[in-house]
Amino acid sequence: MRHVDFSPLYRSTVGFDRLLTMLDSLAQPEQTQSYPPYNIERTGETTYRITMAVAGFEEAEISIEAREHALTVKGEKADEKDVDGVDFLYRGIAKRAFERRFQLAEHVEVTGASLRNGLLHIDLTREIPEAMKPRRIAISSDSASAPKQIEANKA
């Protein structure tokens, strides 16, 4: 795959730094993460939900942080001591730590999170400020601005 250099655009643009950085990061090969699996759902016109399968993790072992258009979910399993001399013959439930990052669009805020039945649900809402919403401008018809007729003098 060819690498595209966006550095010349940094010199001629103002205010697009975040966009160019995001394009630059997309152009670079990424190490694929498959753990933990997740879904991204649209639950309403402006609401979204990220659902992650975190079987075996407790609430205290998961941290969620939203900062500067990025959402980071980390999970670190506490050390489990062998209880009552139990020896595992096979351990299929993953115990490894994870960190998953999501890029959030502008004006997307995290509204809540819950952990039920091994699934972590993170609720998001997109709220556009009133100043940025489109608004209708009324057109007024003022009689004073109507074109005037020129009257000719009759002699």
Side-chain angles (χ1 to χ4, degrees):
M1 186 170 144
R2 295 176 18 197
H3 177 70
V4 179
D5 186 20
F6 293 107
S7 58
L9 294 175
Y10 284 110
R11 292 189 298 258
S12 61
T13 59
V14 176
F16 293 96
D17 301 338
R18 183 172 164 266
L19 176 66
L20 294 173
T21 303
M22 191 167 51
L23 286 173
D24 201 23
S25 69
L26 288 174
Q28 295 176 2
E30 185 180 322
Q31 296 129 0
T32 56
Q33 284 184 324
S34 61
Y35 181 78
Y38 65 94
N39 293 336
I40 300 176
E41 310 162 28
R42 179 180 220 153
T43 57
E45 190 173 323
T46 60
T47 57
Y48 304 88
R49 173 179 275 181
I50 298 173
T51 302
M52 298 178 69
V54 291
F57 283 86
E58 297 178 17
E59 290 178 24
E61 298 169 334
I62 299 173
S63 67
I64 302 170
E65 181 179 314
R67 183 186 335 169
E68 297 178 12
H69 306 292
L71 174 68
T72 305
V73 181
K74 293 180 185 177
E76 292 188 41
K77 196 74 173 140
D79 291 334
E80 292 182 5
K81 306 276 192 254
D82 286 337
V83 181
D84 296 328
V86 174
D87 291 327
F88 287 96
L89 300 177
Y90 173 77
R91 181 170 273 181
I93 298 174
K95 233 174 97 161
R96 61 185 172 196
F98 67 88
E99 181 174 337
R100 178 73 75 170
R101 295 175 192 257
F102 300 93
Q103 289 290 325
L104 300 178
E106 290 186 21
H107 311 297
V108 173
E109 300 291 327
V110 178
T111 57
S114 62
L115 181 64
R116 289 187 309 259
N117 300 328
L119 296 175
L120 175 66
H121 301 283
I122 303 170
D123 295 316
L124 308 166
T125 302
R126 182 174 187 172
E127 295 182 19
I128 300 174
E130 283 296 322
M132 297 188 76
K133 288 183 180 177
R135 54 190 172 130
R136 185 171 294 275
I137 308 298
I139 301 172
S140 64
S141 60
D142 189 35
S143 61
S145 65
K148 296 181 180 180
Q149 291 183 336
I150 301 175
E151 295 181 17
N153 288 338
K154 294 185 181 180

PDB file of all heavy atoms in Angstrom, residues 95-120:
ATOM      1  N   LYS A  95      -8.563 -13.649  30.196  1.00  0.00           N
ATOM      2  CA  LYS A  95      -8.233 -12.899  31.396  1.00  0.00           C
ATOM      3  C   LYS A  95      -7.337 -11.711  31.066  1.00  0.00           C
ATOM      4  O   LYS A  95      -6.880 -11.011  31.937  1.00  0.00           O
ATOM      5  CB  LYS A  95      -7.476 -13.825  32.351  1.00  0.00           C
ATOM      6  CG  LYS A  95      -8.050 -13.905  33.726  1.00  0.00           C
ATOM      7  CD  LYS A  95      -7.321 -14.940  34.503  1.00  0.00           C
ATOM      8  CE  LYS A  95      -6.254 -14.316  35.362  1.00  0.00           C
ATOM      9  NZ  LYS A  95      -5.820 -15.168  36.436  1.00  0.00           N
ATOM     10  N   ARG A  96      -7.090 -11.511  29.802  1.00  0.00           N
ATOM     11  CA  ARG A  96      -6.121 -10.506  29.410  1.00  0.00           C
ATOM     12  C   ARG A  96      -6.696  -9.092  29.477  1.00  0.00           C
ATOM     13  O   ARG A  96      -7.896  -8.879  29.319  1.00  0.00           O
ATOM     14  CB  ARG A  96      -5.624 -10.787  28.003  1.00  0.00           C
ATOM     15  CG  ARG A  96      -6.712 -10.747  26.969  1.00  0.00           C
ATOM     16  CD  ARG A  96      -6.202 -11.145  25.623  1.00  0.00           C
ATOM     17  NE  ARG A  96      -7.348 -11.260  24.719  1.00  0.00           N
ATOM     18  CZ  ARG A  96      -7.316 -11.859  23.585  1.00  0.00           C
ATOM     19  NH1 ARG A  96      -6.210 -12.426  23.171  1.00  0.00           N
ATOM     20  NH2 ARG A  96      -8.371 -11.913  22.825  1.00  0.00           N
ATOM     21  N   ALA A  97      -5.800  -8.160  29.683  1.00  0.00           N
ATOM     22  CA  ALA A  97      -6.177  -6.750  29.717  1.00  0.00           C
ATOM     23  C   ALA A  97      -6.440  -6.282  28.289  1.00  0.00           C
ATOM     24  O   ALA A  97      -5.918  -6.844  27.334  1.00  0.00           O
ATOM     25  CB  ALA A  97      -5.069  -5.930  30.360  1.00  0.00           C
ATOM     26  N   PHE A  98      -7.258  -5.240  28.156  1.00  0.00           N
ATOM     27  CA  PHE A  98      -7.546  -4.699  26.839  1.00  0.00           C
ATOM     28  C   PHE A  98      -7.665  -3.190  26.913  1.00  0.00           C
ATOM     29  O   PHE A  98      -7.875  -2.608  27.971  1.00  0.00           O
ATOM     30  CB  PHE A  98      -8.826  -5.304  26.248  1.00  0.00           C
ATOM     31  CG  PHE A  98     -10.083  -4.914  26.987  1.00  0.00           C
ATOM     32  CD1 PHE A  98     -10.771  -3.766  26.648  1.00  0.00           C
ATOM     33  CD2 PHE A  98     -10.571  -5.707  28.015  1.00  0.00           C
ATOM     34  CE1 PHE A  98     -11.923  -3.404  27.324  1.00  0.00           C
ATOM     35  CE2 PHE A  98     -11.722  -5.365  28.690  1.00  0.00           C
ATOM     36  CZ  PHE A  98     -12.406  -4.204  28.346  1.00  0.00           C
ATOM     37  N   GLU A  99      -7.512  -2.569  25.766  1.00  0.00           N
ATOM     38  CA  GLU A  99      -7.749  -1.135  25.615  1.00  0.00           C
ATOM     39  C   GLU A  99      -8.320  -0.922  24.223  1.00  0.00           C
ATOM     40  O   GLU A  99      -7.705  -1.277  23.228  1.00  0.00           O
ATOM     41  CB  GLU A  99      -6.464  -0.336  25.782  1.00  0.00           C
ATOM     42  CG  GLU A  99      -6.669   1.150  25.649  1.00  0.00           C
ATOM     43  CD  GLU A  99      -5.415   1.952  25.960  1.00  0.00           C
ATOM     44  OE1 GLU A  99      -4.541   1.440  26.683  1.00  0.00           O
ATOM     45  OE2 GLU A  99      -5.332   3.077  25.463  1.00  0.00           O
ATOM     46  N   ARG A 100      -9.508  -0.351  24.155  1.00  0.00           N
ATOM     47  CA  ARG A 100     -10.183  -0.136  22.880  1.00  0.00           C
ATOM     48  C   ARG A 100     -10.486   1.361  22.757  1.00  0.00           C
ATOM     49  O   ARG A 100     -11.003   1.960  23.686  1.00  0.00           O
ATOM     50  CB  ARG A 100     -11.468  -0.959  22.846  1.00  0.00           C
ATOM     51  CG  ARG A 100     -12.310  -0.814  21.641  1.00  0.00           C
ATOM     52  CD  ARG A 100     -11.757  -1.475  20.434  1.00  0.00           C
ATOM     53  NE  ARG A 100     -11.918  -2.908  20.494  1.00  0.00           N
ATOM     54  CZ  ARG A 100     -11.692  -3.698  19.470  1.00  0.00           C
ATOM     55  NH1 ARG A 100     -11.304  -3.193  18.331  1.00  0.00           N
ATOM     56  NH2 ARG A 100     -11.834  -4.983  19.576  1.00  0.00           N
ATOM     57  N   ARG A 101     -10.134   1.948  21.607  1.00  0.00           N
ATOM     58  CA  ARG A 101     -10.366   3.376  21.385  1.00  0.00           C
ATOM     59  C   ARG A 101     -11.357   3.575  20.249  1.00  0.00           C
ATOM     60  O   ARG A 101     -11.315   2.874  19.249  1.00  0.00           O
ATOM     61  CB  ARG A 101      -9.066   4.084  21.020  1.00  0.00           C
ATOM     62  CG  ARG A 101      -8.056   4.080  22.131  1.00  0.00           C
ATOM     63  CD  ARG A 101      -6.752   4.697  21.650  1.00  0.00           C
ATOM     64  NE  ARG A 101      -5.693   4.438  22.604  1.00  0.00           N
ATOM     65  CZ  ARG A 101      -5.239   5.325  23.461  1.00  0.00           C
ATOM     66  NH1 ARG A 101      -5.742   6.535  23.470  1.00  0.00           N
ATOM     67  NH2 ARG A 101      -4.279   5.011  24.298  1.00  0.00           N
ATOM     68  N   PHE A 102     -12.234   4.571  20.432  1.00  0.00           N
ATOM     69  CA  PHE A 102     -13.213   4.938  19.436  1.00  0.00           C
ATOM     70  C   PHE A 102     -13.083   6.432  19.155  1.00  0.00           C
ATOM     71  O   PHE A 102     -12.966   7.224  20.088  1.00  0.00           O
ATOM     72  CB  PHE A 102     -14.648   4.659  19.919  1.00  0.00           C
ATOM     73  CG  PHE A 102     -14.903   3.215  20.245  1.00  0.00           C
ATOM     74  CD1 PHE A 102     -14.742   2.740  21.540  1.00  0.00           C
ATOM     75  CD2 PHE A 102     -15.310   2.342  19.258  1.00  0.00           C
ATOM     76  CE1 PHE A 102     -14.982   1.418  21.850  1.00  0.00           C
ATOM     77  CE2 PHE A 102     -15.561   1.011  19.559  1.00  0.00           C
ATOM     78  CZ  PHE A 102     -15.395   0.548  20.854  1.00  0.00           C
ATOM     79  N   GLN A 103     -13.100   6.817  17.888  1.00  0.00           N
ATOM     80  CA  GLN A 103     -13.115   8.227  17.512  1.00  0.00           C
ATOM     81  C   GLN A 103     -14.567   8.698  17.523  1.00  0.00           C
ATOM     82  O   GLN A 103     -15.426   8.070  16.902  1.00  0.00           O
ATOM     83  CB  GLN A 103     -12.528   8.431  16.117  1.00  0.00           C
ATOM     84  CG  GLN A 103     -11.036   8.216  16.037  1.00  0.00           C
ATOM     85  CD  GLN A 103     -10.266   9.308  16.758  1.00  0.00           C
ATOM     86  OE1 GLN A 103     -10.670  10.462  16.756  1.00  0.00           O
ATOM     87  NE2 GLN A 103      -9.173   8.932  17.383  1.00  0.00           N
ATOM     88  N   LEU A 104     -14.823   9.802  18.221  1.00  0.00           N
ATOM     89  CA  LEU A 104     -16.173  10.345  18.300  1.00  0.00           C
ATOM     90  C   LEU A 104     -16.286  11.569  17.401  1.00  0.00           C
ATOM     91  O   LEU A 104     -15.345  12.356  17.300  1.00  0.00           O
ATOM     92  CB  LEU A 104     -16.516  10.741  19.738  1.00  0.00           C
ATOM     93  CG  LEU A 104     -16.474   9.630  20.782  1.00  0.00           C
ATOM     94  CD1 LEU A 104     -16.801  10.194  22.152  1.00  0.00           C
ATOM     95  CD2 LEU A 104     -17.444   8.519  20.426  1.00  0.00           C
ATOM     96  N   ALA A 105     -17.422  11.731  16.751  1.00  0.00           N
ATOM     97  CA  ALA A 105     -17.675  12.911  15.942  1.00  0.00           C
ATOM     98  C   ALA A 105     -17.861  14.115  16.860  1.00  0.00           C
ATOM     99  O   ALA A 105     -18.037  13.967  18.078  1.00  0.00           O
ATOM    100  CB  ALA A 105     -18.912  12.700  15.079  1.00  0.00           C
ATOM    101  N   GLU A 106     -17.839  15.295  16.272  1.00  0.00           N
ATOM    102  CA  GLU A 106     -18.035  16.500  17.072  1.00  0.00           C
ATOM    103  C   GLU A 106     -19.431  16.494  17.677  1.00  0.00           C
ATOM    104  O   GLU A 106     -20.380  16.012  17.067  1.00  0.00           O
ATOM    105  CB  GLU A 106     -17.850  17.737  16.205  1.00  0.00           C
ATOM    106  CG  GLU A 106     -16.409  17.932  15.785  1.00  0.00           C
ATOM    107  CD  GLU A 106     -16.200  19.231  15.055  1.00  0.00           C
ATOM    108  OE1 GLU A 106     -17.036  20.143  15.210  1.00  0.00           O
ATOM    109  OE2 GLU A 106     -15.216  19.330  14.336  1.00  0.00           O
ATOM    110  N   HIS A 107     -19.538  17.008  18.877  1.00  0.00           N
ATOM    111  CA  HIS A 107     -20.789  17.166  19.621  1.00  0.00           C
ATOM    112  C   HIS A 107     -21.392  15.839  20.064  1.00  0.00           C
ATOM    113  O   HIS A 107     -22.567  15.778  20.392  1.00  0.00           O
ATOM    114  CB  HIS A 107     -21.821  17.960  18.817  1.00  0.00           C
ATOM    115  CG  HIS A 107     -21.275  19.222  18.238  1.00  0.00           C
ATOM    116  ND1 HIS A 107     -20.810  20.244  19.014  1.00  0.00           N
ATOM    117  CD2 HIS A 107     -21.090  19.597  16.950  1.00  0.00           C
ATOM    118  CE1 HIS A 107     -20.367  21.206  18.230  1.00  0.00           C
ATOM    119  NE2 HIS A 107     -20.523  20.833  16.970  1.00  0.00           N
ATOM    120  N   VAL A 108     -20.616  14.760  20.070  1.00  0.00           N
ATOM    121  CA  VAL A 108     -21.095  13.478  20.593  1.00  0.00           C
ATOM    122  C   VAL A 108     -20.597  13.357  22.031  1.00  0.00           C
ATOM    123  O   VAL A 108     -19.407  13.483  22.295  1.00  0.00           O
ATOM    124  CB  VAL A 108     -20.600  12.286  19.743  1.00  0.00           C
ATOM    125  CG1 VAL A 108     -20.967  10.970  20.400  1.00  0.00           C
ATOM    126  CG2 VAL A 108     -21.188  12.362  18.353  1.00  0.00           C
ATOM    127  N   GLU A 109     -21.519  13.134  22.935  1.00  0.00           N
ATOM    128  CA  GLU A 109     -21.209  13.040  24.359  1.00  0.00           C
ATOM    129  C   GLU A 109     -21.621  11.680  24.896  1.00  0.00           C
ATOM    130  O   GLU A 109     -22.621  11.114  24.454  1.00  0.00           O
ATOM    131  CB  GLU A 109     -21.947  14.129  25.151  1.00  0.00           C
ATOM    132  CG  GLU A 109     -21.599  15.544  24.737  1.00  0.00           C
ATOM    133  CD  GLU A 109     -20.191  15.935  25.102  1.00  0.00           C
ATOM    134  OE1 GLU A 109     -19.697  15.456  26.156  1.00  0.00           O
ATOM    135  OE2 GLU A 109     -19.569  16.702  24.349  1.00  0.00           O
ATOM    136  N   VAL A 110     -20.867  11.176  25.868  1.00  0.00           N
ATOM    137  CA  VAL A 110     -21.217   9.936  26.548  1.00  0.00           C
ATOM    138  C   VAL A 110     -22.258  10.273  27.610  1.00  0.00           C
ATOM    139  O   VAL A 110     -22.037  11.139  28.448  1.00  0.00           O
ATOM    140  CB  VAL A 110     -19.977   9.287  27.192  1.00  0.00           C
ATOM    141  CG1 VAL A 110     -20.358   8.032  27.945  1.00  0.00           C
ATOM    142  CG2 VAL A 110     -18.925   8.993  26.143  1.00  0.00           C
ATOM    143  N   THR A 111     -23.405   9.604  27.556  1.00  0.00           N
ATOM    144  CA  THR A 111     -24.481   9.902  28.508  1.00  0.00           C
ATOM    145  C   THR A 111     -24.601   8.868  29.612  1.00  0.00           C
ATOM    146  O   THR A 111     -25.234   9.135  30.620  1.00  0.00           O
ATOM    147  CB  THR A 111     -25.835  10.031  27.790  1.00  0.00           C
ATOM    148  OG1 THR A 111     -26.098   8.824  27.069  1.00  0.00           O
ATOM    149  CG2 THR A 111     -25.829  11.203  26.833  1.00  0.00           C
ATOM    150  N   GLY A 112     -24.009   7.682  29.434  1.00  0.00           N
ATOM    151  CA  GLY A 112     -24.096   6.680  30.484  1.00  0.00           C
ATOM    152  C   GLY A 112     -23.466   5.374  30.061  1.00  0.00           C
ATOM    153  O   GLY A 112     -23.161   5.156  28.886  1.00  0.00           O
ATOM    154  N   ALA A 113     -23.252   4.515  31.050  1.00  0.00           N
ATOM    155  CA  ALA A 113     -22.687   3.191  30.791  1.00  0.00           C
ATOM    156  C   ALA A 113     -23.267   2.218  31.808  1.00  0.00           C
ATOM    157  O   ALA A 113     -23.554   2.589  32.947  1.00  0.00           O
ATOM    158  CB  ALA A 113     -21.170   3.225  30.898  1.00  0.00           C
ATOM    159  N   SER A 114     -23.450   0.974  31.359  1.00  0.00           N
ATOM    160  CA  SER A 114     -23.958  -0.057  32.267  1.00  0.00           C
ATOM    161  C   SER A 114     -23.334  -1.390  31.883  1.00  0.00           C
ATOM    162  O   SER A 114     -22.948  -1.606  30.738  1.00  0.00           O
ATOM    163  CB  SER A 114     -25.481  -0.133  32.210  1.00  0.00           C
ATOM    164  OG  SER A 114     -25.905  -0.502  30.912  1.00  0.00           O
ATOM    165  N   LEU A 115     -23.235  -2.282  32.877  1.00  0.00           N
ATOM    166  CA  LEU A 115     -22.681  -3.620  32.678  1.00  0.00           C
ATOM    167  C   LEU A 115     -23.732  -4.631  33.097  1.00  0.00           C
ATOM    168  O   LEU A 115     -24.124  -4.685  34.265  1.00  0.00           O
ATOM    169  CB  LEU A 115     -21.403  -3.791  33.509  1.00  0.00           C
ATOM    170  CG  LEU A 115     -20.681  -5.123  33.393  1.00  0.00           C
ATOM    171  CD1 LEU A 115     -20.171  -5.333  31.973  1.00  0.00           C
ATOM    172  CD2 LEU A 115     -19.509  -5.164  34.366  1.00  0.00           C
ATOM    173  N   ARG A 116     -24.243  -5.396  32.114  1.00  0.00           N
ATOM    174  CA  ARG A 116     -25.276  -6.399  32.388  1.00  0.00           C
ATOM    175  C   ARG A 116     -24.964  -7.664  31.612  1.00  0.00           C
ATOM    176  O   ARG A 116     -24.726  -7.615  30.406  1.00  0.00           O
ATOM    177  CB  ARG A 116     -26.658  -5.884  31.962  1.00  0.00           C
ATOM    178  CG  ARG A 116     -27.210  -4.792  32.831  1.00  0.00           C
ATOM    179  CD  ARG A 116     -28.645  -4.465  32.455  1.00  0.00           C
ATOM    180  NE  ARG A 116     -28.812  -4.218  31.028  1.00  0.00           N
ATOM    181  CZ  ARG A 116     -28.902  -3.014  30.483  1.00  0.00           C
ATOM    182  NH1 ARG A 116     -28.824  -1.949  31.234  1.00  0.00           N
ATOM    183  NH2 ARG A 116     -29.067  -2.879  29.181  1.00  0.00           N
ATOM    184  N   ASN A 117     -24.976  -8.785  32.298  1.00  0.00           N
ATOM    185  CA  ASN A 117     -24.810 -10.106  31.679  1.00  0.00           C
ATOM    186  C   ASN A 117     -23.550 -10.204  30.824  1.00  0.00           C
ATOM    187  O   ASN A 117     -23.563 -10.803  29.754  1.00  0.00           O
ATOM    188  CB  ASN A 117     -26.033 -10.463  30.827  1.00  0.00           C
ATOM    189  CG  ASN A 117     -27.306 -10.510  31.626  1.00  0.00           C
ATOM    190  OD1 ASN A 117     -27.292 -10.867  32.808  1.00  0.00           O
ATOM    191  ND2 ASN A 117     -28.415 -10.138  31.027  1.00  0.00           N
ATOM    192  N   GLY A 118     -22.463  -9.600  31.281  1.00  0.00           N
ATOM    193  CA  GLY A 118     -21.205  -9.679  30.547  1.00  0.00           C
ATOM    194  C   GLY A 118     -21.099  -8.740  29.368  1.00  0.00           C
ATOM    195  O   GLY A 118     -20.138  -8.809  28.613  1.00  0.00           O
ATOM    196  N   LEU A 119     -22.090  -7.859  29.182  1.00  0.00           N
ATOM    197  CA  LEU A 119     -22.067  -6.885  28.104  1.00  0.00           C
ATOM    198  C   LEU A 119     -21.980  -5.475  28.678  1.00  0.00           C
ATOM    199  O   LEU A 119     -22.782  -5.098  29.536  1.00  0.00           O
ATOM    200  CB  LEU A 119     -23.314  -6.998  27.225  1.00  0.00           C
ATOM    201  CG  LEU A 119     -23.481  -8.297  26.460  1.00  0.00           C
ATOM    202  CD1 LEU A 119     -24.819  -8.309  25.736  1.00  0.00           C
ATOM    203  CD2 LEU A 119     -22.346  -8.494  25.475  1.00  0.00           C
ATOM    204  N   LEU A 120     -21.014  -4.699  28.197  1.00  0.00           N
ATOM    205  CA  LEU A 120     -20.853  -3.305  28.603  1.00  0.00           C
ATOM    206  C   LEU A 120     -21.560  -2.446  27.572  1.00  0.00           C
ATOM    207  O   LEU A 120     -21.242  -2.506  26.382  1.00  0.00           O
ATOM    208  CB  LEU A 120     -19.367  -2.939  28.672  1.00  0.00           C
ATOM    209  CG  LEU A 120     -19.042  -1.483  28.965  1.00  0.00           C
ATOM    210  CD1 LEU A 120     -19.491  -1.106  30.377  1.00  0.00           C
ATOM    211  CD2 LEU A 120     -17.557  -1.235  28.794  1.00  0.00           C
TER     212      LEU A 120
END
